[in-house]
PDB file of all heavy atoms in Angstrom:
ATOM      1  N   ALA A   1      13.711 -11.948   7.187  1.00  0.00           N
ATOM      2  CA  ALA A   1      13.436 -11.069   6.045  1.00  0.00           C
ATOM      3  C   ALA A   1      13.891 -11.500   4.658  1.00  0.00           C
ATOM      4  O   ALA A   1      13.120 -11.389   3.694  1.00  0.00           O
ATOM      5  CB  ALA A   1      14.139  -9.680   6.378  1.00  0.00           C
ATOM      6  N   LEU A   2      15.119 -12.073   4.590  1.00  0.00           N
ATOM      7  CA  LEU A   2      15.587 -12.529   3.287  1.00  0.00           C
ATOM      8  C   LEU A   2      14.981 -13.792   2.840  1.00  0.00           C
ATOM      9  O   LEU A   2      15.148 -14.145   1.652  1.00  0.00           O
ATOM     10  CB  LEU A   2      17.132 -12.736   3.431  1.00  0.00           C
ATOM     11  CG  LEU A   2      17.966 -11.431   3.839  1.00  0.00           C
ATOM     12  CD1 LEU A   2      19.454 -11.799   3.897  1.00  0.00           C
ATOM     13  CD2 LEU A   2      17.621 -10.270   3.021  1.00  0.00           C
ATOM     14  N   ASP A   3      14.325 -14.510   3.723  1.00  0.00           N
ATOM     15  CA  ASP A   3      13.588 -15.693   3.355  1.00  0.00           C
ATOM     16  C   ASP A   3      12.165 -15.565   2.886  1.00  0.00           C
ATOM     17  O   ASP A   3      11.670 -16.240   1.964  1.00  0.00           O
ATOM     18  CB  ASP A   3      13.646 -16.798   4.501  1.00  0.00           C
ATOM     19  CG  ASP A   3      14.968 -17.121   4.965  1.00  0.00           C
ATOM     20  OD1 ASP A   3      15.883 -17.328   4.069  1.00  0.00           O
ATOM     21  OD2 ASP A   3      15.256 -17.278   6.177  1.00  0.00           O
ATOM     22  N   VAL A   4      11.463 -14.580   3.521  1.00  0.00           N
ATOM     23  CA  VAL A   4       9.975 -14.437   3.260  1.00  0.00           C
ATOM     24  C   VAL A   4       9.710 -13.365   2.268  1.00  0.00           C
ATOM     25  O   VAL A   4       8.572 -13.327   1.767  1.00  0.00           O
ATOM     26  CB  VAL A   4       9.242 -14.331   4.576  1.00  0.00           C
ATOM     27  CG1 VAL A   4       9.423 -15.454   5.478  1.00  0.00           C
ATOM     28  CG2 VAL A   4       9.539 -13.035   5.265  1.00  0.00           C
ATOM     29  N   LEU A   5      10.601 -12.407   2.057  1.00  0.00           N
ATOM     30  CA  LEU A   5      10.284 -11.340   1.161  1.00  0.00           C
ATOM     31  C   LEU A   5      10.980 -11.588  -0.204  1.00  0.00           C
ATOM     32  O   LEU A   5      12.159 -11.931  -0.248  1.00  0.00           O
ATOM     33  CB  LEU A   5      10.892  -9.950   1.754  1.00  0.00           C
ATOM     34  CG  LEU A   5      10.205  -9.530   2.987  1.00  0.00           C
ATOM     35  CD1 LEU A   5      10.841  -8.241   3.496  1.00  0.00           C
ATOM     36  CD2 LEU A   5       8.693  -9.271   2.827  1.00  0.00           C
ATOM     37  N   PRO A   6      10.183 -11.397  -1.293  1.00  0.00           N
ATOM     38  CA  PRO A   6      10.810 -11.705  -2.561  1.00  0.00           C
ATOM     39  C   PRO A   6      11.831 -10.664  -2.968  1.00  0.00           C
ATOM     40  O   PRO A   6      11.749  -9.514  -2.445  1.00  0.00           O
ATOM     41  CB  PRO A   6       9.578 -11.636  -3.456  1.00  0.00           C
ATOM     42  CG  PRO A   6       8.601 -10.851  -2.774  1.00  0.00           C
ATOM     43  CD  PRO A   6       8.778 -11.134  -1.321  1.00  0.00           C
ATOM     44  N   PRO A   7      12.693 -11.037  -3.906  1.00  0.00           N
ATOM     45  CA  PRO A   7      13.672 -10.077  -4.412  1.00  0.00           C
ATOM     46  C   PRO A   7      13.252  -8.701  -4.814  1.00  0.00           C
ATOM     47  O   PRO A   7      13.810  -7.698  -4.470  1.00  0.00           O
ATOM     48  CB  PRO A   7      14.413 -10.871  -5.421  1.00  0.00           C
ATOM     49  CG  PRO A   7      14.196 -12.257  -5.163  1.00  0.00           C
ATOM     50  CD  PRO A   7      12.847 -12.304  -4.512  1.00  0.00           C
ATOM     51  N   ALA A   8      12.060  -8.700  -5.503  1.00  0.00           N
ATOM     52  CA  ALA A   8      11.515  -7.441  -6.042  1.00  0.00           C
ATOM     53  C   ALA A   8      11.142  -6.495  -4.795  1.00  0.00           C
ATOM     54  O   ALA A   8      11.352  -5.248  -4.918  1.00  0.00           O
ATOM     55  CB  ALA A   8      10.349  -7.664  -6.896  1.00  0.00           C
ATOM     56  N   THR A   9      10.637  -7.081  -3.807  1.00  0.00           N
ATOM     57  CA  THR A   9      10.227  -6.202  -2.648  1.00  0.00           C
ATOM     58  C   THR A   9      11.485  -5.786  -1.976  1.00  0.00           C
ATOM     59  O   THR A   9      11.489  -4.587  -1.523  1.00  0.00           O
ATOM     60  CB  THR A   9       9.413  -7.135  -1.635  1.00  0.00           C
ATOM     61  OG1 THR A   9       8.125  -7.467  -2.287  1.00  0.00           O
ATOM     62  CG2 THR A   9       9.050  -6.310  -0.387  1.00  0.00           C
ATOM     63  N   LEU A  10      12.459  -6.599  -1.776  1.00  0.00           N
ATOM     64  CA  LEU A  10      13.702  -6.191  -1.130  1.00  0.00           C
ATOM     65  C   LEU A  10      14.368  -5.091  -1.951  1.00  0.00           C
ATOM     66  O   LEU A  10      15.039  -4.151  -1.312  1.00  0.00           O
ATOM     67  CB  LEU A  10      14.583  -7.342  -0.931  1.00  0.00           C
ATOM     68  CG  LEU A  10      14.152  -8.454   0.167  1.00  0.00           C
ATOM     69  CD1 LEU A  10      14.991  -9.624   0.056  1.00  0.00           C
ATOM     70  CD2 LEU A  10      14.275  -7.813   1.510  1.00  0.00           C
ATOM     71  N   THR A  11      14.385  -5.177  -3.221  1.00  0.00           N
ATOM     72  CA  THR A  11      15.032  -4.217  -4.101  1.00  0.00           C
ATOM     73  C   THR A  11      14.419  -2.826  -3.901  1.00  0.00           C
ATOM     74  O   THR A  11      15.096  -1.794  -3.773  1.00  0.00           O
ATOM     75  CB  THR A  11      14.841  -4.586  -5.584  1.00  0.00           C
ATOM     76  OG1 THR A  11      15.596  -5.794  -5.787  1.00  0.00           O
ATOM     77  CG2 THR A  11      15.426  -3.546  -6.488  1.00  0.00           C
ATOM     78  N   ILE A  12      13.109  -2.770  -3.828  1.00  0.00           N
ATOM     79  CA  ILE A  12      12.384  -1.447  -3.590  1.00  0.00           C
ATOM     80  C   ILE A  12      12.750  -0.925  -2.187  1.00  0.00           C
ATOM     81  O   ILE A  12      13.009   0.229  -1.993  1.00  0.00           O
ATOM     82  CB  ILE A  12      10.894  -1.620  -3.791  1.00  0.00           C
ATOM     83  CG1 ILE A  12      10.631  -1.842  -5.251  1.00  0.00           C
ATOM     84  CG2 ILE A  12      10.212  -0.350  -3.328  1.00  0.00           C
ATOM     85  CD1 ILE A  12       9.237  -2.238  -5.666  1.00  0.00           C
ATOM     86  N   ALA A  13      12.670  -1.796  -1.226  1.00  0.00           N
ATOM     87  CA  ALA A  13      12.963  -1.445   0.182  1.00  0.00           C
ATOM     88  C   ALA A  13      14.431  -0.817   0.321  1.00  0.00           C
ATOM     89  O   ALA A  13      14.565   0.135   1.054  1.00  0.00           O
ATOM     90  CB  ALA A  13      12.908  -2.656   1.147  1.00  0.00           C
ATOM     91  N   ARG A  14      15.304  -1.358  -0.415  1.00  0.00           N
ATOM     92  CA  ARG A  14      16.686  -0.953  -0.330  1.00  0.00           C
ATOM     93  C   ARG A  14      16.934   0.389  -1.154  1.00  0.00           C
ATOM     94  O   ARG A  14      17.841   1.136  -0.843  1.00  0.00           O
ATOM     95  CB  ARG A  14      17.660  -2.006  -0.856  1.00  0.00           C
ATOM     96  CG  ARG A  14      17.674  -3.266  -0.006  1.00  0.00           C
ATOM     97  CD  ARG A  14      18.288  -4.444  -0.748  1.00  0.00           C
ATOM     98  NE  ARG A  14      18.318  -5.610   0.053  1.00  0.00           N
ATOM     99  CZ  ARG A  14      18.520  -6.917  -0.422  1.00  0.00           C
ATOM    100  NH1 ARG A  14      18.526  -7.031  -1.789  1.00  0.00           N
ATOM    101  NH2 ARG A  14      18.517  -7.929   0.432  1.00  0.00           N
ATOM    102  N   ARG A  15      16.030   0.698  -2.058  1.00  0.00           N
ATOM    103  CA  ARG A  15      16.138   1.883  -2.846  1.00  0.00           C
ATOM    104  C   ARG A  15      15.645   3.149  -2.142  1.00  0.00           C
ATOM    105  O   ARG A  15      16.142   4.301  -2.298  1.00  0.00           O
ATOM    106  CB  ARG A  15      15.443   1.707  -4.220  1.00  0.00           C
ATOM    107  CG  ARG A  15      15.358   2.903  -5.088  1.00  0.00           C
ATOM    108  CD  ARG A  15      14.820   2.617  -6.488  1.00  0.00           C
ATOM    109  NE  ARG A  15      13.423   2.182  -6.323  1.00  0.00           N
ATOM    110  CZ  ARG A  15      12.393   3.003  -6.345  1.00  0.00           C
ATOM    111  NH1 ARG A  15      12.503   4.316  -6.177  1.00  0.00           N
ATOM    112  NH2 ARG A  15      11.204   2.550  -6.347  1.00  0.00           N
ATOM    113  N   LEU A  16      14.627   3.001  -1.391  1.00  0.00           N
ATOM    114  CA  LEU A  16      13.893   4.029  -0.742  1.00  0.00           C
ATOM    115  C   LEU A  16      14.701   4.612   0.465  1.00  0.00           C
ATOM    116  O   LEU A  16      15.514   3.934   1.127  1.00  0.00           O
ATOM    117  CB  LEU A  16      12.508   3.571  -0.230  1.00  0.00           C
ATOM    118  CG  LEU A  16      11.562   3.050  -1.248  1.00  0.00           C
ATOM    119  CD1 LEU A  16      10.301   2.654  -0.600  1.00  0.00           C
ATOM    120  CD2 LEU A  16      11.311   4.058  -2.383  1.00  0.00           C
ATOM    121  N   SER A  17      14.406   5.940   0.767  1.00  0.00           N
ATOM    122  CA  SER A  17      15.092   6.546   1.885  1.00  0.00           C
ATOM    123  C   SER A  17      14.098   7.200   2.876  1.00  0.00           C
ATOM    124  O   SER A  17      14.457   7.883   3.838  1.00  0.00           O
ATOM    125  CB  SER A  17      16.104   7.625   1.488  1.00  0.00           C
ATOM    126  OG  SER A  17      15.558   8.581   0.670  1.00  0.00           O
ATOM    127  N   TYR A  18      12.703   7.093   2.440  1.00  0.00           N
ATOM    128  CA  TYR A  18      11.680   7.766   3.315  1.00  0.00           C
ATOM    129  C   TYR A  18      10.609   6.776   3.562  1.00  0.00           C
ATOM    130  O   TYR A  18      10.076   6.132   2.779  1.00  0.00           O
ATOM    131  CB  TYR A  18      11.137   8.910   2.509  1.00  0.00           C
ATOM    132  CG  TYR A  18      10.020   9.718   3.223  1.00  0.00           C
ATOM    133  CD1 TYR A  18      10.146  10.027   4.600  1.00  0.00           C
ATOM    134  CD2 TYR A  18       8.859  10.081   2.553  1.00  0.00           C
ATOM    135  CE1 TYR A  18       9.100  10.691   5.249  1.00  0.00           C
ATOM    136  CE2 TYR A  18       7.845  10.806   3.207  1.00  0.00           C
ATOM    137  CZ  TYR A  18       7.988  11.112   4.631  1.00  0.00           C
ATOM    138  OH  TYR A  18       6.990  11.768   5.241  1.00  0.00           O
ATOM    139  N   PHE A  19      10.414   6.612   4.926  1.00  0.00           N
ATOM    140  CA  PHE A  19       9.585   5.552   5.442  1.00  0.00           C
ATOM    141  C   PHE A  19       8.532   6.105   6.497  1.00  0.00           C
ATOM    142  O   PHE A  19       8.941   6.923   7.295  1.00  0.00           O
ATOM    143  CB  PHE A  19      10.308   4.365   6.040  1.00  0.00           C
ATOM    144  CG  PHE A  19      11.314   3.747   5.161  1.00  0.00           C
ATOM    145  CD1 PHE A  19      12.588   4.293   4.970  1.00  0.00           C
ATOM    146  CD2 PHE A  19      10.973   2.715   4.312  1.00  0.00           C
ATOM    147  CE1 PHE A  19      13.469   3.665   4.133  1.00  0.00           C
ATOM    148  CE2 PHE A  19      11.821   2.130   3.382  1.00  0.00           C
ATOM    149  CZ  PHE A  19      13.136   2.632   3.333  1.00  0.00           C
ATOM    150  N   LEU A  20       7.268   5.681   6.392  1.00  0.00           N
ATOM    151  CA  LEU A  20       6.274   5.953   7.421  1.00  0.00           C
ATOM    152  C   LEU A  20       5.992   4.644   8.119  1.00  0.00           C
ATOM    153  O   LEU A  20       5.486   3.654   7.549  1.00  0.00           O
ATOM    154  CB  LEU A  20       5.002   6.471   6.783  1.00  0.00           C
ATOM    155  CG  LEU A  20       5.178   7.665   5.879  1.00  0.00           C
ATOM    156  CD1 LEU A  20       3.866   8.027   5.108  1.00  0.00           C
ATOM    157  CD2 LEU A  20       5.727   8.932   6.646  1.00  0.00           C
ATOM    158  N   ALA A  21       6.386   4.567   9.475  1.00  0.00           N
ATOM    159  CA  ALA A  21       6.322   3.329  10.139  1.00  0.00           C
ATOM    160  C   ALA A  21       5.491   3.450  11.457  1.00  0.00           C
ATOM    161  O   ALA A  21       5.539   4.452  12.086  1.00  0.00           O
ATOM    162  CB  ALA A  21       7.733   2.916  10.583  1.00  0.00           C
ATOM    163  N   GLU A  22       4.775   2.378  11.826  1.00  0.00           N
ATOM    164  CA  GLU A  22       4.097   2.404  13.074  1.00  0.00           C
ATOM    165  C   GLU A  22       5.029   2.627  14.232  1.00  0.00           C
ATOM    166  O   GLU A  22       4.803   3.325  15.173  1.00  0.00           O
ATOM    167  CB  GLU A  22       3.357   1.128  13.237  1.00  0.00           C
ATOM    168  CG  GLU A  22       2.588   0.990  14.461  1.00  0.00           C
ATOM    169  CD  GLU A  22       1.761  -0.296  14.599  1.00  0.00           C
ATOM    170  OE1 GLU A  22       1.667  -1.093  13.604  1.00  0.00           O
ATOM    171  OE2 GLU A  22       1.189  -0.594  15.698  1.00  0.00           O
ATOM    172  N   ASP A  23       6.197   1.901  14.176  1.00  0.00           N
ATOM    173  CA  ASP A  23       7.235   2.036  15.170  1.00  0.00           C
ATOM    174  C   ASP A  23       8.508   2.202  14.559  1.00  0.00           C
ATOM    175  O   ASP A  23       8.977   1.307  13.791  1.00  0.00           O
ATOM    176  CB  ASP A  23       7.224   0.789  16.065  1.00  0.00           C
ATOM    177  CG  ASP A  23       8.208   0.855  17.202  1.00  0.00           C
ATOM    178  OD1 ASP A  23       9.396   0.500  17.082  1.00  0.00           O
ATOM    179  OD2 ASP A  23       7.798   1.289  18.272  1.00  0.00           O
ATOM    180  N   ALA A  24       9.190   3.328  14.774  1.00  0.00           N
ATOM    181  CA  ALA A  24      10.484   3.607  14.118  1.00  0.00           C
ATOM    182  C   ALA A  24      11.560   2.590  14.476  1.00  0.00           C
ATOM    183  O   ALA A  24      12.378   2.225  13.592  1.00  0.00           O
ATOM    184  CB  ALA A  24      10.954   5.055  14.449  1.00  0.00           C
ATOM    185  N   LYS A  25      11.647   2.201  15.668  1.00  0.00           N
ATOM    186  CA  LYS A  25      12.685   1.172  16.102  1.00  0.00           C
ATOM    187  C   LYS A  25      12.549  -0.065  15.368  1.00  0.00           C
ATOM    188  O   LYS A  25      13.535  -0.609  14.902  1.00  0.00           O
ATOM    189  CB  LYS A  25      12.607   1.027  17.627  1.00  0.00           C
ATOM    190  CG  LYS A  25      13.624   0.084  18.138  1.00  0.00           C
ATOM    191  CD  LYS A  25      13.554  -0.138  19.652  1.00  0.00           C
ATOM    192  CE  LYS A  25      14.648  -1.048  20.229  1.00  0.00           C
ATOM    193  NZ  LYS A  25      14.515  -1.282  21.696  1.00  0.00           N
ATOM    194  N   THR A  26      11.346  -0.541  15.321  1.00  0.00           N
ATOM    195  CA  THR A  26      11.116  -1.792  14.593  1.00  0.00           C
ATOM    196  C   THR A  26      11.473  -1.648  13.117  1.00  0.00           C
ATOM    197  O   THR A  26      12.041  -2.518  12.453  1.00  0.00           O
ATOM    198  CB  THR A  26       9.662  -2.248  14.657  1.00  0.00           C
ATOM    199  OG1 THR A  26       9.299  -2.391  16.112  1.00  0.00           O
ATOM    200  CG2 THR A  26       9.354  -3.547  14.000  1.00  0.00           C
ATOM    201  N   ALA A  27      11.098  -0.573  12.513  1.00  0.00           N
ATOM    202  CA  ALA A  27      11.397  -0.270  11.104  1.00  0.00           C
ATOM    203  C   ALA A  27      12.919  -0.270  10.813  1.00  0.00           C
ATOM    204  O   ALA A  27      13.384  -0.766   9.866  1.00  0.00           O
ATOM    205  CB  ALA A  27      10.700   1.052  10.687  1.00  0.00           C
ATOM    206  N   ARG A  28      13.649   0.414  11.712  1.00  0.00           N
ATOM    207  CA  ARG A  28      15.105   0.367  11.610  1.00  0.00           C
ATOM    208  C   ARG A  28      15.720  -0.956  11.588  1.00  0.00           C
ATOM    209  O   ARG A  28      16.558  -1.298  10.801  1.00  0.00           O
ATOM    210  CB  ARG A  28      15.675   1.282  12.629  1.00  0.00           C
ATOM    211  CG  ARG A  28      15.551   2.848  12.463  1.00  0.00           C
ATOM    212  CD  ARG A  28      16.376   3.685  13.346  1.00  0.00           C
ATOM    213  NE  ARG A  28      15.939   3.526  14.745  1.00  0.00           N
ATOM    214  CZ  ARG A  28      15.072   4.343  15.398  1.00  0.00           C
ATOM    215  NH1 ARG A  28      14.582   5.334  14.609  1.00  0.00           N
ATOM    216  NH2 ARG A  28      14.823   4.224  16.606  1.00  0.00           N
ATOM    217  N   ALA A  29      15.244  -1.791  12.549  1.00  0.00           N
ATOM    218  CA  ALA A  29      15.720  -3.123  12.641  1.00  0.00           C
ATOM    219  C   ALA A  29      15.413  -3.935  11.363  1.00  0.00           C
ATOM    220  O   ALA A  29      16.250  -4.696  10.912  1.00  0.00           O
ATOM    221  CB  ALA A  29      15.099  -3.832  13.827  1.00  0.00           C
ATOM    222  N   PHE A  30      14.175  -3.752  10.830  1.00  0.00           N
ATOM    223  CA  PHE A  30      13.803  -4.409   9.595  1.00  0.00           C
ATOM    224  C   PHE A  30      14.690  -4.031   8.409  1.00  0.00           C
ATOM    225  O   PHE A  30      15.164  -4.887   7.669  1.00  0.00           O
ATOM    226  CB  PHE A  30      12.366  -4.225   9.348  1.00  0.00           C
ATOM    227  CG  PHE A  30      11.972  -4.393   7.867  1.00  0.00           C
ATOM    228  CD1 PHE A  30      12.091  -5.672   7.340  1.00  0.00           C
ATOM    229  CD2 PHE A  30      11.553  -3.365   7.062  1.00  0.00           C
ATOM    230  CE1 PHE A  30      11.878  -5.883   5.959  1.00  0.00           C
ATOM    231  CE2 PHE A  30      11.287  -3.548   5.719  1.00  0.00           C
ATOM    232  CZ  PHE A  30      11.401  -4.851   5.171  1.00  0.00           C
ATOM    233  N   LEU A  31      14.907  -2.726   8.223  1.00  0.00           N
ATOM    234  CA  LEU A  31      15.631  -2.245   7.143  1.00  0.00           C
ATOM    235  C   LEU A  31      17.069  -2.695   7.216  1.00  0.00           C
ATOM    236  O   LEU A  31      17.771  -2.994   6.164  1.00  0.00           O
ATOM    237  CB  LEU A  31      15.533  -0.764   7.048  1.00  0.00           C
ATOM    238  CG  LEU A  31      14.146  -0.197   6.636  1.00  0.00           C
ATOM    239  CD1 LEU A  31      14.048   1.290   6.954  1.00  0.00           C
ATOM    240  CD2 LEU A  31      13.759  -0.498   5.215  1.00  0.00           C
ATOM    241  N   LYS A  32      17.606  -2.743   8.394  1.00  0.00           N
ATOM    242  CA  LYS A  32      18.985  -3.303   8.584  1.00  0.00           C
ATOM    243  C   LYS A  32      19.008  -4.757   8.188  1.00  0.00           C
ATOM    244  O   LYS A  32      19.919  -5.218   7.417  1.00  0.00           O
ATOM    245  CB  LYS A  32      19.475  -3.145   9.906  1.00  0.00           C
ATOM    246  CG  LYS A  32      20.880  -3.601  10.218  1.00  0.00           C
ATOM    247  CD  LYS A  32      21.307  -3.299  11.698  1.00  0.00           C
ATOM    248  CE  LYS A  32      22.731  -3.767  11.918  1.00  0.00           C
ATOM    249  NZ  LYS A  32      23.183  -3.505  13.365  1.00  0.00           N
ATOM    250  N   ALA A  33      18.051  -5.551   8.633  1.00  0.00           N
ATOM    251  CA  ALA A  33      17.988  -6.973   8.317  1.00  0.00           C
ATOM    252  C   ALA A  33      17.799  -7.235   6.864  1.00  0.00           C
ATOM    253  O   ALA A  33      18.227  -8.236   6.238  1.00  0.00           O
ATOM    254  CB  ALA A  33      16.916  -7.612   9.137  1.00  0.00           C
ATOM    255  N   ALA A  34      17.043  -6.275   6.212  1.00  0.00           N
ATOM    256  CA  ALA A  34      16.738  -6.398   4.752  1.00  0.00           C
ATOM    257  C   ALA A  34      17.955  -6.055   3.902  1.00  0.00           C
ATOM    258  O   ALA A  34      17.913  -6.140   2.659  1.00  0.00           O
ATOM    259  CB  ALA A  34      15.544  -5.529   4.319  1.00  0.00           C
ATOM    260  N   GLY A  35      19.064  -5.538   4.491  1.00  0.00           N
ATOM    261  CA  GLY A  35      20.305  -5.231   3.745  1.00  0.00           C
ATOM    262  C   GLY A  35      20.202  -3.947   3.019  1.00  0.00           C
ATOM    263  O   GLY A  35      20.809  -3.721   1.997  1.00  0.00           O
ATOM    264  N   HIS A  36      19.573  -2.864   3.751  1.00  0.00           N
ATOM    265  CA  HIS A  36      19.530  -1.558   3.106  1.00  0.00           C
ATOM    266  C   HIS A  36      20.988  -1.053   3.092  1.00  0.00           C
ATOM    267  O   HIS A  36      21.712  -1.137   3.998  1.00  0.00           O
ATOM    268  CB  HIS A  36      18.727  -0.599   3.992  1.00  0.00           C
ATOM    269  CG  HIS A  36      18.256   0.641   3.190  1.00  0.00           C
ATOM    270  ND1 HIS A  36      19.119   1.647   2.835  1.00  0.00           N
ATOM    271  CD2 HIS A  36      16.951   0.985   2.777  1.00  0.00           C
ATOM    272  CE1 HIS A  36      18.465   2.597   2.201  1.00  0.00           C
ATOM    273  NE2 HIS A  36      17.218   2.181   2.137  1.00  0.00           N
ATOM    274  N   PRO A  37      21.366  -0.557   1.851  1.00  0.00           N
ATOM    275  CA  PRO A  37      22.770  -0.182   1.692  1.00  0.00           C
ATOM    276  C   PRO A  37      23.279   1.038   2.348  1.00  0.00           C
ATOM    277  O   PRO A  37      24.445   1.353   2.518  1.00  0.00           O
ATOM    278  CB  PRO A  37      22.819  -0.024   0.141  1.00  0.00           C
ATOM    279  CG  PRO A  37      21.457   0.371  -0.250  1.00  0.00           C
ATOM    280  CD  PRO A  37      20.558  -0.348   0.614  1.00  0.00           C
ATOM    281  N   ARG A  38      22.345   1.967   2.718  1.00  0.00           N
ATOM    282  CA  ARG A  38      22.683   3.231   3.372  1.00  0.00           C
ATOM    283  C   ARG A  38      22.757   3.059   4.878  1.00  0.00           C
ATOM    284  O   ARG A  38      22.046   2.218   5.422  1.00  0.00           O
ATOM    285  CB  ARG A  38      21.718   4.346   2.992  1.00  0.00           C
ATOM    286  CG  ARG A  38      21.740   4.676   1.521  1.00  0.00           C
ATOM    287  CD  ARG A  38      20.794   5.757   1.213  1.00  0.00           C
ATOM    288  NE  ARG A  38      20.999   6.993   2.000  1.00  0.00           N
ATOM    289  CZ  ARG A  38      20.257   8.092   1.941  1.00  0.00           C
ATOM    290  NH1 ARG A  38      19.127   8.090   1.092  1.00  0.00           N
ATOM    291  NH2 ARG A  38      20.515   9.105   2.690  1.00  0.00           N
ATOM    292  N   PRO A  39      23.539   3.876   5.577  1.00  0.00           N
ATOM    293  CA  PRO A  39      23.454   3.792   7.021  1.00  0.00           C
ATOM    294  C   PRO A  39      22.030   4.142   7.495  1.00  0.00           C
ATOM    295  O   PRO A  39      21.408   5.023   6.956  1.00  0.00           O
ATOM    296  CB  PRO A  39      24.457   4.956   7.439  1.00  0.00           C
ATOM    297  CG  PRO A  39      25.359   5.027   6.239  1.00  0.00           C
ATOM    298  CD  PRO A  39      24.536   4.743   5.072  1.00  0.00           C
ATOM    299  N   ILE A  40      21.576   3.299   8.357  1.00  0.00           N
ATOM    300  CA  ILE A  40      20.128   3.458   8.845  1.00  0.00           C
ATOM    301  C   ILE A  40      19.782   4.786   9.364  1.00  0.00           C
ATOM    302  O   ILE A  40      18.781   5.379   9.186  1.00  0.00           O
ATOM    303  CB  ILE A  40      19.829   2.369   9.898  1.00  0.00           C
ATOM    304  CG1 ILE A  40      20.073   0.938   9.221  1.00  0.00           C
ATOM    305  CG2 ILE A  40      18.408   2.443  10.319  1.00  0.00           C
ATOM    306  CD1 ILE A  40      19.216   0.673   7.985  1.00  0.00           C
ATOM    307  N   GLN A  41      20.819   5.425  10.052  1.00  0.00           N
ATOM    308  CA  GLN A  41      20.602   6.772  10.688  1.00  0.00           C
ATOM    309  C   GLN A  41      20.455   7.804   9.585  1.00  0.00           C
ATOM    310  O   GLN A  41      19.945   8.946   9.894  1.00  0.00           O
ATOM    311  CB  GLN A  41      21.779   7.133  11.640  1.00  0.00           C
ATOM    312  CG  GLN A  41      23.135   7.264  10.980  1.00  0.00           C
ATOM    313  CD  GLN A  41      23.826   5.965  10.967  1.00  0.00           C
ATOM    314  OE1 GLN A  41      23.290   4.844  11.076  1.00  0.00           O
ATOM    315  NE2 GLN A  41      25.219   6.057  10.956  1.00  0.00           N
ATOM    316  N   GLU A  42      20.850   7.575   8.298  1.00  0.00           N
ATOM    317  CA  GLU A  42      20.653   8.555   7.249  1.00  0.00           C
ATOM    318  C   GLU A  42      19.237   8.530   6.656  1.00  0.00           C
ATOM    319  O   GLU A  42      18.841   9.437   5.845  1.00  0.00           O
ATOM    320  CB  GLU A  42      21.657   8.339   6.208  1.00  0.00           C
ATOM    321  CG  GLU A  42      23.165   8.683   6.663  1.00  0.00           C
ATOM    322  CD  GLU A  42      24.086   8.521   5.484  1.00  0.00           C
ATOM    323  OE1 GLU A  42      23.668   8.249   4.355  1.00  0.00           O
ATOM    324  OE2 GLU A  42      25.299   8.685   5.744  1.00  0.00           O
ATOM    325  N   LEU A  43      18.447   7.425   6.992  1.00  0.00           N
ATOM    326  CA  LEU A  43      17.174   7.287   6.441  1.00  0.00           C
ATOM    327  C   LEU A  43      16.154   8.199   7.258  1.00  0.00           C
ATOM    328  O   LEU A  43      16.302   8.334   8.464  1.00  0.00           O
ATOM    329  CB  LEU A  43      16.691   5.828   6.441  1.00  0.00           C
ATOM    330  CG  LEU A  43      17.601   4.874   5.794  1.00  0.00           C
ATOM    331  CD1 LEU A  43      17.068   3.452   5.937  1.00  0.00           C
ATOM    332  CD2 LEU A  43      17.765   5.189   4.285  1.00  0.00           C
ATOM    333  N   ARG A  44      15.114   8.674   6.504  1.00  0.00           N
ATOM    334  CA  ARG A  44      14.072   9.388   7.160  1.00  0.00           C
ATOM    335  C   ARG A  44      13.072   8.406   7.561  1.00  0.00           C
ATOM    336  O   ARG A  44      12.293   7.887   6.662  1.00  0.00           O
ATOM    337  CB  ARG A  44      13.654  10.540   6.348  1.00  0.00           C
ATOM    338  CG  ARG A  44      12.553  11.406   7.056  1.00  0.00           C
ATOM    339  CD  ARG A  44      12.015  12.524   6.179  1.00  0.00           C
ATOM    340  NE  ARG A  44      10.964  13.289   6.899  1.00  0.00           N
ATOM    341  CZ  ARG A  44      10.154  14.204   6.326  1.00  0.00           C
ATOM    342  NH1 ARG A  44      10.314  14.436   4.989  1.00  0.00           N
ATOM    343  NH2 ARG A  44       9.230  14.829   7.033  1.00  0.00           N
ATOM    344  N   ILE A  45      12.784   8.176   8.827  1.00  0.00           N
ATOM    345  CA  ILE A  45      11.702   7.300   9.213  1.00  0.00           C
ATOM    346  C   ILE A  45      10.830   7.979  10.154  1.00  0.00           C
ATOM    347  O   ILE A  45      11.228   8.463  11.300  1.00  0.00           O
ATOM    348  CB  ILE A  45      12.327   6.058  10.007  1.00  0.00           C
ATOM    349  CG1 ILE A  45      13.236   5.287   9.069  1.00  0.00           C
ATOM    350  CG2 ILE A  45      11.173   5.138  10.452  1.00  0.00           C
ATOM    351  CD1 ILE A  45      14.014   4.162   9.705  1.00  0.00           C
TER     352      ILE A  45
END
C-alpha cells in the first residue's frame, strides 16, 4: 500500500471515515495497512 499508492491518495484515504467496499474485511485490512489514524472499528464500512 505505501509503495504503490501516491501520498495524495493516502492522505484522502486517511481523512475519510465512510467507505463503500465490495468486501468489508478486505477494506479494513487495506485501511490499516494504509495507516489510517483512527481505530478501524470506528470507521463506517
